[in-house]
Amino acid sequence: MKFVSKLALTAMLALGSTALVTTPALAQKDKKGASKEDPNALKVGDAFRKAAQPAMEAVQAKNWAAAAPALDALDQAAQNDDEKYYAAYLRSRVQIGQNDLAGLTKTLPILIASPRTPANELPIYKRQYYTILGNQALTAKQYPAAIDALTKAREAGNNDFDISISLANAYAQTGKPNESVAEVDRAIQAVRATGQKPPVAWYQFAIPRVYATGNRAATADWLKKMIADYPTKQNWRWGVLVMRGSADSAGGRLTAAQRIDLYRLLRTTKVLADQNDYIDYAESVNSAGLPWEAVAVIDEGRAAGKIPAGNPDIARIYTSAQTKAKAEGSLTPLIKQSQAAANGKMASQTGDAFLASGDYAKAVELYDVALQKGGVAADEVNLHRAIALYNLGRKDDARTGFGQVKTPPAVDLAALWTVALDLPALS
């Protein structure tokens, strides 16, 4: 997404309010032609002095229409460096008054290069010049040029958070997510320092890019910060679904089983949105051989009013899931078989069945057997075990369990579930 930048406005206000403090003085002469003013005053000829008078009066009166031809005449009269500096100075006042950024990009270099520019004003001219250039380059989608100019504006003293926002955009467009995210973080810190809350759009810009770098811990931290500032169901759901729709740094995407675990997270945190969520979730678990979960999810959706009566897809899935669950019968006999098996595969599968049926205590028991016997995907078992612990309300144990998940993309899911352990009340 793009941020709306205030760089142009910032440039106008900062330059207009600060640079006008010191107005260049023209050297005056007595009746004999000798200078009677400060020797540091600008040295100008009579022809220039005469042309400068109407231009100066028009500028002071903010009569931009009258200033334009007067300044053109002044440019024609300017001969030495002092005269050219003063003409550029007056023209910059008009350009500021008319919000003429294009004009300023031509005038400010003259003021920057002139030795007559006061030392305290030179940084002002530089930072505003590069700020305007950077903003124009960004608008023109000339991202490397924008980065160069905006960086120089910062070096010249422009620390406005808009610089960071615009740099974040430019870095993102040039394939530099780490730099982009760092700039968003800098902008957030700057806004927080003023006692204000950063816009949620900044978090939503950064989070997918953090995830794309493969830094799971950082992704979780960013999501935590967003939810702390904006604790809404909509924002939490958005954060969860980012991982469903985005590839990690290695280009990997979630498997069907891992998508089910995401749906479980949405269900557990009560942010399943509409009938489409319920249909997809129920269809997925039913197809995966977990009909008990499909029945429970549909029952919840109907009770919550999220599934309209008479939906044929829901009716089909529900009937199929009930038939399968009945055919499976009791899961209890599978416990002894799992304990007697040569490896932990059956215990893991039986644990998944108990997890799907809502018997979380039995699920934990079977997952422990699976891990003890081995021969299983430890990350998957640890993730499901921690999910069962979460649903049992054993949050400290669940946190430890999620921490035992080590490889992507399972570790991404574990990070999300860990964030969920500390979720504030969502509105």
Side-chain angles (χ1 to χ4, degrees), residues 61-409:
K62 298 183 178 180
N63 185 346
W64 310 133
L71 285 171
D72 289 341
L74 192 61
D75 284 338
Q76 293 295 320
Q79 299 297 316
N80 64 36
D81 289 339
D82 282 6
E83 293 173 346
K84 292 175 182 177
Y85 164 73
Y86 192 73
Y89 173 83
L90 289 181
R91 188 171 290 279
S92 72
R93 300 307 99 196
V94 176
Q95 290 165 338
I96 289 170
Q98 294 184 314
N99 292 338
D100 180 7
L101 299 184
L104 277 168
T105 61
K106 299 176 182 178
T107 304
L108 286 173
I110 298 173
L111 299 177
I112 291 170
S114 175
R116 282 300 195 171
T117 295
N120 64 318
E121 291 181 7
L122 184 59
I124 298 171
Y125 291 134
K126 282 185 176 181
R127 64 175 174 257
Q128 300 312 328
Y129 173 61
Y130 288 118
T131 297
I132 294 169
L133 282 187
N135 191 44
Q136 291 179 336
L138 193 64
T139 300
K141 299 182 179 181
Q142 298 170 349
Y143 301 113
I147 292 171
D148 179 67
L150 293 170
T151 301
K152 289 178 179 177
R154 176 180 285 165
E155 292 170 352
N158 190 341
N159 292 309
D160 191 281
F161 67 80
D162 271 342
I163 292 286
S164 293
I165 291 171
S166 294
L167 278 170
N169 269 316
Y171 281 127
Q173 293 295 329
T174 52
K176 297 180 178 179
N178 287 316
E179 291 85 347
S180 178
V181 170
E183 290 297 341
V184 178
D185 186 55
R186 182 170 181 156
I188 287 175
Q189 298 308 316
V191 170
R192 285 199 185 285
T194 69
Q196 301 180 69
K197 186 165 64 174
V200 68
W202 293 7
Y203 293 111
Q204 292 175 339
F205 178 90
I207 288 170
R209 289 165 174 81
V210 179
Y211 179 61
T213 68
N215 192 331
R216 278 84 190 174
T219 303
D221 286 342
W222 272 90
L223 188 53
K224 282 182 184 178
K225 289 187 287 188
M226 182 183 77
I227 297 302
D229 276 346
Y230 296 94
T232 69
K233 292 180 179 179
Q234 179 182 1
N235 288 335
W236 169 241
R237 174 184 165 78
W238 174 87
V240 172
L241 294 184
V242 162
M243 292 190 184
R244 186 176 76 177
S246 303
D248 64 14
S249 59
R253 294 186 181 273
L254 301 182
T255 65
Q258 290 157 348
R259 284 169 61 88
I260 289 174
D261 290 329
L262 268 189
Y263 270 124
R264 286 172 173 156
L265 180 56
L266 294 173
R267 177 190 177 194
T268 300
T269 53
K270 304 184 187 305
V271 291
L272 287 170
D274 52 31
Q275 64 175 325
N276 294 325
D277 272 359
Y278 286 95
I279 290 173
D280 192 25
Y281 185 1
E283 182 77 85
S284 297
V285 290
N286 191 45
S287 298
L290 304 170
W292 313 274
E293 193 165 356
V295 171
V297 166
I298 291 172
D299 284 340
E300 288 177 12
R302 285 171 170 168
K306 297 291 183 68
I307 299 175
N311 185 298
D313 290 325
I314 285 292
R316 172 183 55 78
I317 298 168
Y318 194 70
T319 299
S320 171
Q322 284 184 314
T323 301
K324 289 180 180 180
K326 185 176 181 180
E328 288 285 351
S330 173
L331 296 174
T332 302
L334 299 177
I335 297 176
K336 288 186 178 180
Q337 296 177 35
S338 298
Q339 292 170 337
N343 57 48
K345 291 181 180 179
M346 187 174 183
S348 174
Q349 293 169 356
T350 305
D352 286 345
F354 276 113
L355 179 67
S357 68
D359 192 338
Y360 303 116
K362 280 287 190 295
V364 172
E365 291 179 16
L366 269 297
Y367 289 136
D368 285 341
V369 172
L371 291 170
Q372 181 181 2
K373 288 181 173 292
V376 296
D379 279 334
E380 179 180 332
V381 175
N382 278 318
L383 177 64
H384 288 175
R385 180 179 179 276
I387 291 173
L389 290 167
Y390 183 110
N391 282 283
L392 286 170
R394 294 167 57 182
K395 292 193 173 183
D396 289 341
D397 291 334
R399 193 185 308 277
T400 300
F402 289 130
Q404 292 170 335
V405 181
K406 301 300 182 182
T407 58

